[in-house]
Amino acid sequence: MFFPPALDHLGETAVYGKEDNGDFMKLSSWISRFFLKPLAAVSQVLLAGCTVLAFVAIIMRYFFNSPIAWSDELLIVALVLLVMMPQGQLESKNEQLCMTALYSAVSRKWKFGMEVVRLIITVGMGIYFAIASFSVIKRNIAFGASTATLHIPYW
């Protein structure tokens, strides 16, 4: 499977400049290989599909005066997925919630502390949003809420 050069280093992980071949690194490499790279590929296909669909929808609406009724709805759902899917990949590469200038200016000890705080905040917010999301999903399922055109359930 082809991945652009920007995604080739997903399996590599360095702990503050030191190589570590322990079990954590093997697990990290396994997670990257089996979960993150396929998600990156799906994200790339989804982005290409969104771009083509948006272009076709514009052409149909403004040049042929025959809009595709479901295109806007599908694009919104696809773009939400496109934003959420690569979050694990960003976390694995330490590119999420990280202020690069500050991070590179501090010592290893401070970097470790920043990593711990970032991890606690990320896990805490993830749990909070998961709980809030499941309550909204439960309510939407009870009401039978779905999109108007495609009848995609509001989750």
Side-chain angles (χ1 to χ4, degrees), residues 10-67:
L10 277 176
E12 300 173 9
T13 306
V15 180
Y16 306 118
K18 291 193 259 181
E19 292 294 324
D20 181 12
N21 296 323
D23 292 334
F24 179 75
M25 299 308 294
K26 291 176 186 174
L27 177 64
S28 175
S29 178
W30 182 84
I31 289 171
S32 175
R33 189 170 52 252
F34 289 106
F35 292 110
L36 298 180
K37 282 190 177 184
L39 279 178
V42 170
S43 295
Q44 291 169 356
V45 170
L46 195 58
L47 178 61
C50 286
T51 304
V52 169
L53 181 60
F55 181 74
V56 169
I58 290 170
I59 297 296
M60 293 298 291
R61 176 171 291 152
Y62 295 110
F63 291 109
F64 296 113
N65 204 18
S66 177

Side-chain angles (χ1 to χ4, degrees), residues 5 14 18 22-23 49-50 52 64 69 72-73 76 80 83 86 93 96-97 99 102 105-106 108 111 122 133 144-145:
K18 291 193 259 181
D23 292 334
C50 286
V52 169
F64 296 113
D72 292 340
E73 199 170 284
I76 289 170
V80 167
V83 167
K93 295 189 321 182
Q96 183 69 5
L97 301 172
M99 296 182 291
L102 176 64
V106 297
R108 284 188 197 169
K111 285 181 184 180
T122 302
S133 297

Side-chain angles (χ1 to χ4, degrees), residues 21-152:
N21 296 323
D23 292 334
F24 179 75
M25 299 308 294
K26 291 176 186 174
L27 177 64
S28 175
S29 178
W30 182 84
I31 289 171
S32 175
R33 189 170 52 252
F34 289 106
F35 292 110
L36 298 180
K37 282 190 177 184
L39 279 178
V42 170
S43 295
Q44 291 169 356
V45 170
L46 195 58
L47 178 61
C50 286
T51 304
V52 169
L53 181 60
F55 181 74
V56 169
I58 290 170
I59 297 296
M60 293 298 291
R61 176 171 291 152
Y62 295 110
F63 291 109
F64 296 113
N65 204 18
S66 177
I68 303 171
W70 48 267
S71 65
D72 292 340
E73 199 170 284
L74 185 62
L75 279 171
I76 289 170
V77 171
L79 288 173
V80 167
L81 283 174
L82 189 58
V83 167
M84 297 300 168
M85 285 175 54
Q87 293 304 313
Q89 179 183 358
L90 291 172
E91 280 293 326
S92 74
K93 295 189 321 182
N94 196 22
E95 292 180 358
Q96 183 69 5
L97 301 172
C98 183
M99 296 182 291
T100 307
L102 176 64
Y103 189 77
S104 62
V106 297
S107 68
R108 284 188 197 169
K109 184 169 49 171
W110 280 98
K111 285 181 184 180
F112 179 76
M114 291 170 71
E115 289 291 322
V116 170
V117 169
R118 183 177 67 92
L119 179 64
I120 291 169
I121 290 171
T122 302
V123 169
M125 294 301 290
I127 291 170
Y128 172 76
F129 285 128
I131 291 169
S133 297
F134 283 121
S135 69
V136 170
I137 289 169
K138 184 179 172 183
R139 199 170 340 138
N140 285 340
I141 289 173
F143 291 135
S146 64
T147 60
T149 307
L150 296 177
H151 302 291
I152 298 172

